[in-house]
Amino acid sequence: MSQQYPLKEVKGDAVCFVPGSPIFSVLMEPASFCYPRLTFLRSPYGQFGASAGSSQDLAPWPQRLVTQRWTGPVDESPPAAMSRNGYFFEESGYLKCDTDDGCEAKEETGGEELFDAVNSSIVSGDSIRFFVNVNLEVPPNATAENESAGCVLLHTSRKYLKLKNFEEEVRAHRDLDGFLARASIILDETATSLDDVLREMLKHFAEDPENMEPSCNFEKIMSTLFTDSGTPREGNVHLLSDTIQGVTATVTGVQYQQSWLCIICTIKSLQRRHVCISRLERPQNWGENSCEVRFVILVLAPPKMKSTKTATEVGRTFATMFSDITFRQKLLETKTEEEFKEALVHQRHLLTVVNQRPSAMSDGHKSHGPKPLKLHEFLNVGKGISDDIARRFPVYALDFTDGVTGNNKAIGKYITTMIFLYFACLLPSIAFGSLNDENTRGVIDVQKTIVGQCIGGLLYALFSGQPLVVLLTTAPLALYINVIRGICDDYNLDFSAFYAWIGLWNSFFLVMYSLFNFSLLMKLFKRSTEEIIALFISITFVLDAFKGIIKVFKKYYYHGRTGDSYLEKARTDAIPSLGINITFLMNSSVSRSMSLENQTGTHDVHYGRETAVLSLMLMLGTLWLGHTLYQFKKSPYLHARVREILSDCALPISVLTFSVVGSYIFKEIEMSKFNYNPSESLFVLAPVQSLSIGSVMSAMGLGFLLSMLFFIEQNIVASLTNAPENRLVKGTAYHWDLLLVALINTGLSIFGLPWIHAAFPHSPMHVRALAYVEERVENGHIYETIVSVKETRLTSLVANFLVGLSLLLLPFPLQWIPKPVLYGLFLYIALTSIDGNQLFERVALLLKEQTAYPPTHYIRRVPQRKIHYFTGLQVLQLLILCGFGMSPLPYMKMIFPLIMIGMIPIRYNLLPRIIEAKYLDAMDAEH
């Protein structure tokens, strides 16, 4: 049998034996022979036990004290050191039952006791005691299996929590307000063990009528707080599962704040959050790192909560307050609950004021708007261009060698990016070239669009300050060209000459903008304004795709139905006496195909509803396959490098696949393809001298509006490309790039080629293709973070050179690409461009439950209602911009760049009257 003899409680650093105990006389006898094998283990309640060997090994001990010293410091760290480090320590343990290995005893040699002290988490129990467990029935040759009985595995996980910012995080104040409204405070608790203290706190919950939980079992909650919840009997290790403590990193190690302890737990049966604070009557020693506990904070919360309302976040709020030793001293002096509450409110005020001072100093330019622009900055002619050249020219050679030479080669990534960029430049050129061909009646066709893209792209890739920006002709430019064609038809003007003059005036104004440093005005564009314009561009891609597919349906689906009705009526009139259901026959695909059989007898060509339905399938199929492959890198299939290649080549794979489907597999169905009319000469000077002075001056007005579009698009796309989250390191060149775009478009205007400027979302997608990305998980949400980007000119150079070579592929095989595939390309570009758009993410919040909200910076810092107000105002601005940019009235389309400029005073003058400036700045912050 086994007997247990208690020794006196640990007081300070020594253990004093209790006189009169059965073993005391034995232990106090002097002896000169071997000591028993003793293993000191922490008991389930924070006590130590000593397991001896057999009864024959029980020997008298020397008359001296057995000393157990604590390795962790008892003293509190000063608040200054705490504030310098600014972290809490959260410890959570997970228990697994395993008895494969025993806890071996330590041999006592040389007159020294070797303690096998198990360093563990905070333990419960009123004090630390030593036990000697004497098993009188164990034979001398005890087996290892008997010694290992009851051994379990304990998994301990630690992570740092940042101190809560009471000035920025609104949830900090709401957590405290919610606690004060239903305060659960216990003053001068007399219980000594941790279990008893927690039971009193849960009992306080149960007896409080405001904190009643109808379906809550507080005994079950009590067991859930510890690691032995749900474990077998042999795994009964009684340790706290999840705690938060204050720590300070010093040169000698980590010091714990041992006078307070925050215990957090998630309980499924709870309906709302609960917080209880207990102040103990005397300091209690509950084990390592909790030797002088005076305050216990218990936080309980249901599992399905908003990311800022979880038990950890609530515990972080109160832990931030209790981390101040001065505040804890004030709480010890309070006599009543009201005084306790007043101390909490006062501490909140101090934390808010303290956090405001460094924030105002370090982030003052963000909190109070941008630094005011001064007039002399614009009058310093050419200063911005010279600064850009000085910044970028020293690294110009590296733009050709990075990733090709040296240790960090990225040739594979360059190849996949070249393929992606080739298709990303070629296919929009074909699509908008076909649209311009229809609008200008062949003056600007697909061939000229490809030539302009090749020349402009090569020049920009060679000489630009930011070569990752991609130049393209875009949907707004196609709208402008259509409006110009309409003006020329109304006033009988020569289109080529009028187009050239508008382009020349546009380039003139762009040169002026670059010389007088107008790109400095882009500091006034906040992130929210940029995202409105970016989402507007994405919407134009979607509308272009749907307009195209609607034209296909009008031409083939509804027109075919009208023709069928006509044929049906004719046949019914011809054979009225036959009671045959001609409607069924004529509406079938077979009857239409037979009636429209090719008279040459080569093969049947079907068109009608088959064409419309197949066009819809090709468009949606291109979108589906492209987006699926784009997201394939997040799947677990295949090797990581293969997944990355498939993701980078998603666009060309989807386009080529469904081009084959539409042009080869279903070759008997007629598909809509772009027109190709070979030009006799691609470089013909426009007759600029043929226009009158009045026409030239009117072209100046249109050129000024066009220059506003160029200025905004070029700078905003460059800003999105150079965003801090992209981690580009070689610098920006806004003024020089604007000047280069002006010079490129001067040549394009004279020769009647389509204009080009920085394209969204192609430029950010180009950066993403050259980036190395890592994933991180925060509160169950997966975020992608760019680690580095290969900044090179090679990808743009090769891609635009291949675009030029594509002239050799006209008309075949490029004409095998059906128009619906190009419409699917537009949808793919629009869908991938909204990835990471904060405006779109906040619109999606309206459709999500709060538990699914991501823990983003604005969710933490801005009240939910303010977020939705701001989102609604952004959507209103977006609708106004779409109303002008997509209006059927041509002249309204011309002035929509002015609407973009008008968003600046709206952001700085109107929105702060509706939403506080600090909340606006938080939502416009980069992270």
Side-chain angles (χ1 to χ4, degrees):
M1 66 181 179
S2 176
Q3 297 181 6
Q4 194 176 70
Y5 303 101
L7 305 178
K8 192 174 181 180
E9 295 181 2
V10 175
K11 298 297 184 182
D13 291 339
V15 179
C16 301
F17 300 114
V18 182
S21 62
I23 201 171
F24 178 76
S25 59
V26 178
L27 292 176
M28 300 303 292
E29 290 181 5
S32 59
F33 51 89
C34 297
Y35 303 136
R37 297 194 306 271
L38 295 174
T39 301
F40 288 87
L41 300 175
R42 191 178 300 280
S43 76
Y45 289 92
Q47 300 160 342
F48 281 97
S51 177
S54 65
S55 59
Q56 298 175 359
D57 293 332
L58 185 61
W61 284 34
Q63 186 174 356
R64 58 190 175 84
L65 297 178
V66 180
T67 302
Q68 169 69 31
R69 293 189 178 273
W70 296 105
T71 58
V74 177
D75 297 337
E76 304 258 6
S77 57
M82 180 276 299
S83 61
R84 285 197 305 269
N85 292 278
Y87 286 103
F88 294 121
F89 185 74
E90 181 184 12
E91 182 172 348
S92 56
Y94 302 92
L95 184 66
K96 291 184 179 179
C97 181
D98 193 347
T99 59
D100 293 338
D101 195 8
C103 301
E104 298 180 357
K106 303 292 182 181
E107 291 288 346
E108 307 295 336
T109 59
E112 296 289 339
E113 291 82 17
L114 302 178
F115 295 90
D116 183 18
V118 181
N119 294 327
S120 65
S121 305
I122 301 137
V123 297
S124 64
D126 50 356
S127 62
I128 304 299
R129 293 192 179 96
F130 279 88
F131 284 84
V132 180
N133 297 325
V134 183
N135 191 344
L136 302 179
E137 297 180 354
V138 179
N141 55 351
T143 63
E145 287 79 4
N146 292 332
E147 292 179 358
S148 65
C151 180
V152 295
L153 299 180
L154 185 68
H155 174 210
T156 302
S157 153
R158 295 182 175 93
K159 64 180 180 180
Y160 283 110
L161 297 177
K162 288 186 178 181
L163 292 168
K164 206 149 200 175
N165 191 322
F166 275 69
E167 194 270 331
E168 292 184 352
E169 299 187 51
V170 295
R171 182 50 58 183
H173 297 270
R174 296 193 174 187
D175 289 341
L176 184 57
D177 291 338
F179 172 75
L180 295 175
R182 301 182 302 271
S184 182
I185 301 172
I186 302 176
L187 300 180
D188 300 328
E189 173 61 52
T190 57
T192 57
S193 70
L194 178 57
D195 290 59
D196 293 339
V197 171
L198 292 177
R199 284 193 180 91
E200 289 297 325
M201 298 174 79
L202 293 175
K203 182 180 178 182
H204 196 270
F205 278 140
E207 294 176 352
D208 191 347
E210 296 183 358
N211 289 334
M212 287 295 292
E213 292 280 354
S215 60
C216 187
N217 186 344
F218 285 97
E219 285 298 327
K220 186 176 181 180
I221 293 177
M222 180 65 189
S223 63
T224 308
L225 297 174
F226 296 92
T227 57
D228 55 358
S229 175
T231 59
R233 181 180 298 274
E234 61 270 15
N236 188 24
V237 178
H238 202 65
L239 308 176
L240 285 172
S241 296
D242 213 347
T243 62
I244 300 177
Q245 276 188 284
V247 296
T248 302
T250 64
V251 292
T252 59
V254 176
Q255 290 185 349
Y256 282 75
Q257 294 183 350
Q258 306 196 38
S259 65
W260 63 276
L261 179 62
C262 181
I263 304 169
I264 59 178
C265 188
T266 300
I267 308 295
K268 293 182 179 180
S269 59
L270 293 181
Q271 296 182 355
R272 57 183 177 84
R273 299 170 299 163
H274 299 275
V275 179
C276 182
I277 301 177
S278 178
R279 187 183 70 186
L280 308 183
E281 186 178 21
R282 291 183 300 274
Q284 298 298 325
N285 188 345
W286 289 337
E288 187 178 5
N289 303 326
S290 296
C291 298
E292 294 182 346
V293 178
R294 288 299 302 270
F295 298 97
V296 179
I297 306 110
L298 178 61
V299 179
L300 307 176
K304 287 191 174 183
M305 295 295 292
K306 189 177 176 182
S307 59
T308 55
K309 298 180 180 180
T310 60
T312 301
E313 287 297 317
V314 178
R316 193 164 70 96
T317 298
F318 289 94
T320 301
M321 303 179 73
F322 275 83
S323 62
D324 186 355
I325 190 172
T326 306
F327 169 66
R328 296 196 299 273
Q329 187 63 34
K330 290 181 180 179
L331 291 182
L332 291 175
E333 298 172 358
T334 58
K335 304 298 183 182
T336 63
E337 288 190 12
E338 292 302 323
E339 293 180 2
F340 200 95
K341 293 179 182 179
E342 290 176 2
L344 290 171
V345 174
H346 181 67
Q347 178 67 7
R348 172 174 64 179
H349 173 71
L350 292 178
L351 289 173
T352 304
V353 172
V354 168
N355 286 330
Q356 281 178 346
R357 292 172 183 169
S359 176
M361 293 170 59
S362 60
D363 296 330
H365 63 286
K366 294 183 180 180
S367 301
H368 304 288
K371 183 180 178 181
L373 297 174
K374 298 181 180 180
L375 182 61
H376 70 85
E377 295 181 275
F378 298 101
L379 297 179
N380 197 349
V381 179
K383 178 68 164 52
I385 296 176
S386 61
D387 289 345
D388 291 342
I389 295 176
R391 185 185 307 114
R392 289 291 303 187
F393 185 74
V395 296
Y396 182 78
L398 296 177
D399 292 338
F400 295 93
T401 59
D402 282 353
V404 178
T405 61
N407 296 327
N408 298 322
K409 294 183 179 180
I411 297 177
K413 182 173 283 291
Y414 282 5
I415 293 175
T416 56
T417 303
M418 290 171 188
I419 297 173
F420 153 75
L421 197 58
Y422 165 67
F423 281 90
C425 293
L426 176 64
L427 298 179
S429 298
I430 294 175
F432 291 119
S434 176
L435 181 61
N436 290 331
D437 188 20
E438 297 176 2
N439 294 335
T440 63
R441 292 188 284 278
V443 178
I444 300 177
D445 57 5
V446 174
Q447 198 173 8
K448 286 189 174 183
T449 305
I450 292 178
V451 171
Q453 174 63 42
C454 175
I455 296 174
L458 286 174
L459 291 175
Y460 192 83
L462 281 173
F463 303 111
S464 66
Q466 181 48 273
L468 298 184
V469 172
V470 179
L471 297 192
L472 284 175
T473 185
T474 60
L477 293 180
L479 293 176
Y480 258 76
I481 293 175
N482 187 27
V483 171
I484 293 171
R485 181 74 220 193
I487 294 174
C488 292
D489 291 342
D490 293 340
Y491 296 95
N492 296 320
L493 300 175
D494 183 89
F495 174 78
S496 298
F498 196 60
Y499 175 85
W501 272 112
I502 293 175
L504 292 174
W505 281 117
N506 167 58
S507 298
F508 169 76
F509 287 117
L510 291 180
V511 170
M512 292 296 104
Y513 299 157
S514 60
L515 290 176
F516 288 95
N517 311 317
F518 272 36
S519 291
L520 294 174
L521 293 173
M522 294 309 299
K523 294 181 180 180
L524 300 177
F525 278 84
K526 290 286 191 176
R527 174 174 179 162
S528 56
T529 307
E530 294 176 353
E531 290 180 339
I532 292 173
I533 297 174
L535 199 55
F536 166 76
I537 297 173
S538 300
I539 292 175
T540 59
F541 277 107
V542 175
L543 289 181
D544 287 340
F546 280 104
K547 284 180 181 178
I549 202 67
I550 288 173
K551 286 183 180 179
V552 172
F553 267 73
K554 285 183 178 180
K555 181 178 180 180
Y556 294 102
Y557 192 89
Y558 295 104
H559 177 72
R561 184 174 63 182
T562 304
D564 293 344
S565 301
Y566 174 78
L567 292 175
E568 175 189 352
K569 184 178 185 299
R571 293 199 177 189
T572 304
D573 293 342
I575 45 176
S577 59
L578 296 178
I580 301 176
N581 189 348
I582 304 298
T583 304
F584 172 77
L585 295 176
M586 294 306 299
N587 282 340
S588 65
S589 300
V590 177
S591 62
R592 280 197 308 276
S593 301
M594 293 178 61
S595 64
L596 299 170
E597 182 177 356
N598 192 340
Q599 298 301 323
T600 62
T602 56
H603 62 274
D604 293 344
V605 177
H606 302 252
Y607 73 89
R609 292 186 174 181
E610 300 95 334
T611 300
V613 173
L614 181 59
S615 298
L616 181 63
M617 293 178 62
L618 292 178
M619 182 184 75
L620 297 179
T622 304
L623 170 64
W624 168 79
L625 181 59
H627 191 261
T628 301
L629 292 178
Y630 179 74
Q631 299 290 337
F632 194 73
K633 57 187 175 183
K634 300 179 181 179
S635 69
Y637 303 105
L638 303 181
H639 190 269
R641 180 56 183 162
V642 177
R643 294 198 302 265
E644 185 179 358
I645 293 175
L646 289 176
S647 178
D648 292 340
C649 298
L651 177 62
I653 291 175
S654 61
V655 169
L656 292 177
T657 300
F658 282 93
S659 295
V660 171
V661 171
S663 298
Y664 183 75
I665 297 179
F666 293 96
K667 58 185 177 181
E668 68 276 4
I669 298 178
E670 180 180 320
M671 294 302 300
S672 176
K673 295 181 174 60
F674 64 87
N675 295 325
Y676 173 70
N677 299 313
S679 303
E680 296 180 358
S681 178
L682 295 174
F683 301 97
V684 178
L685 289 174
V688 293
Q689 71 281 359
S690 63
L691 292 184
S692 63
I693 299 298
S695 300
V696 172
M697 299 308 295
S698 62
M700 182 179 68
L702 295 176
F704 172 74
L705 293 176
L706 182 62
S707 69
M708 300 297 295
L709 174 64
F710 267 75
F711 175 77
I712 295 173
E713 292 270 3
Q714 179 69 32
N715 283 285
I716 284 183
V717 172
S719 177
L720 293 173
T721 303
N722 293 298
E725 57 265 26
N726 290 338
R727 301 181 186 275
L728 303 183
V729 297
K730 293 184 179 179
T732 61
Y734 292 99
H735 309 87
W736 167 250
D737 287 349
L738 189 63
L739 176 63
L740 183 60
V741 168
L743 298 177
I744 291 173
N745 282 279
T746 300
L748 297 179
S749 302
I750 293 176
F751 290 101
L753 302 177
W755 302 308
I756 58 175
H757 60 63
F760 179 86
H762 302 76
S763 300
M765 291 172 67
H766 185 202
V767 174
R768 193 60 176 244
L770 291 171
Y772 292 94
V773 181
E774 288 184 353
E775 290 186 350
R776 60 182 176 87
V777 180
E778 183 178 348
N779 294 340
H781 296 266
I782 300 177
Y783 297 92
E784 289 186 346
T785 303
I786 292 179
V787 179
S788 64
V789 177
K790 291 294 183 182
E791 301 180 50
T792 179
R793 299 178 186 271
L794 298 178
T795 52
S796 294
L797 276 173
V798 175
N800 284 286
F801 178 74
L802 294 176
V803 169
L805 291 181
S806 299
L807 288 172
L808 303 177
L809 304 179
L810 287 175
F812 299 104
L814 286 184
Q815 209 171 17
W816 288 350
I817 302 177
K819 278 189 175 181
V821 173
L822 300 179
Y823 303 150
L825 165 70
F826 287 171
L827 293 179
Y828 168 82
I829 291 174
L831 185 60
T832 54
S833 67
I834 63 177
D835 187 18
N837 188 292
Q838 193 184 107
L839 171 58
F840 182 81
E841 292 175 353
R842 282 188 275 105
V843 171
L845 291 182
L846 298 172
L847 305 177
K848 294 181 180 179
E849 60 177 350
Q850 291 189 2
T851 56
Y853 281 15
T856 55
H857 64 280
Y858 54 86
I859 293 292
R860 294 182 182 276
R861 300 178 183 179
V862 185
Q864 182 176 327
R865 184 175 301 176
K866 302 292 184 181
I867 293 176
H868 295 327
Y869 284 167
F870 183 68
T871 304
L873 292 171
Q874 277 189 291
V875 171
L876 181 60
Q877 296 177 71
L878 177 62
L879 293 177
I880 295 174
L881 188 60
C882 292
F884 281 87
M886 303 171 187
S887 171
L889 302 176
Y891 294 102
M892 290 187 66
K893 296 178 182 178
M894 303 293 291
I895 65 173
F896 85 92
L898 299 178
I899 305 300
M900 296 182 183
I901 300 294
M903 292 181 181
I904 296 177
I906 292 176
R907 169 61 181 83
Y908 287 100
N909 298 324
L910 179 59
L911 293 186
R913 299 176 183 272
I914 303 174
I915 302 174
E916 291 88 334
K918 64 177 182 180
Y919 296 146
L920 293 175
D921 293 336
M923 285 183 283
D924 275 332
E926 297 296 340
H927 53 78

